[in-house]
Amino acid sequence: MKIYIKESVMRHHKGMIGLTILLFLSALMTITAAFLFYQSRSVMVHERYKNAICARYMAESGANWALGYIKRYGAKKKQITFPVGDGEAEVKIREIKNSGKEKLWEITSEGCDKKTKTVGGVTLLVSVKEKGKVEVEYIKSDNNYQDWNSLYGKS
């Protein structure tokens, strides 16, 4: 069985397969480029998130150190910076209220990853009713620090 195609029909469809393949390849290339862009952005977002978590952990280490320091010695040192892992923690201790037996302290700790310069912070409001008994009243993480004086009426 032989199939005969008229020459005039082929003349109108010349290059159609080439054009279809060209369109298909350009669409495939666009989809591939979009996927690669998405993947690279995803990796960058993951790295930033990981660095932010590490910086916050450094800040929490500083806050824990300050809690232990206040419990043992009171708050003689008002500011200290010390190394933690690949970064450092800067701790500031500030007295908010001192009324007889009860003292109220604000501990502000910032952790900084030295490689990426990512900063995370933690603020604690701590009350000390008697030496050796420290109670955390309030915790705030990241850099949303609040003026505790306005809460406790001290100007």
Side-chain angles (χ1 to χ4, degrees):
M1 179 171 172
K2 289 187 177 180
I3 299 175
Y4 293 99
I5 300 174
K6 290 184 180 177
E7 191 175 312
S8 63
V9 173
M10 288 303 289
R11 205 176 302 152
H12 293 296
H13 298 292
K14 226 176 200 178
M16 196 62 169
I17 293 176
L19 184 61
T20 304
I21 289 174
L22 185 64
L23 286 174
F24 176 75
L25 288 177
S26 64
L28 186 63
M29 210 159 82
T30 303
I31 291 171
T32 304
F35 177 74
L36 290 175
F37 177 74
Y38 172 76
Q39 285 296 72
S40 67
R41 295 280 299 171
S42 179
V43 168
M44 287 181 353
V45 167
H46 173 73
E47 281 296 312
R48 286 183 185 157
Y49 180 74
K50 184 184 83 161
N51 293 337
I53 293 293
C54 287
R56 187 167 342 154
Y57 284 161
M58 288 177 202
E60 287 177 7
S61 294
N64 284 331
W65 175 87
L67 282 172
Y69 187 83
I70 288 175
K71 185 175 181 180
R72 178 173 270 175
Y73 303 109
K76 296 176 185 174
K77 289 187 180 183
K78 300 296 182 188
Q79 183 172 351
I80 187 168
T81 302
F82 56 90
V84 178
D86 291 337
E88 61 183 23
E90 180 182 1
V91 180
K92 296 176 186 171
I93 303 172
R94 183 170 69 108
E95 185 176 36
I96 302 293
K97 181 180 170 186
N98 187 353
S99 62
K101 290 184 177 182
E102 185 178 7
K103 293 181 181 182
L104 199 60
W105 301 93
E106 176 191 51
I107 299 171
T108 304
S109 178
E110 286 189 347
C112 178
D113 185 358
K114 289 183 180 179
K115 291 179 185 173
T116 61
K117 306 293 185 214
T118 306
V119 177
V122 175
T123 301
L124 303 176
L125 189 62
V126 176
S127 66
V128 180
K129 295 185 177 143
E130 53 186 85
K131 190 172 181 178
K133 293 201 176 185
V134 177
E135 189 175 313
V136 177
E137 302 282 335
Y138 189 81
I139 300 173
K140 188 179 247 184
S141 62
D142 288 325
N143 296 324
N144 302 320
Y145 301 132
Q146 185 173 353
D147 183 16
W148 302 111
N149 289 329
S150 63
L151 290 175
Y152 287 92
K154 186 176 180 182
S155 51

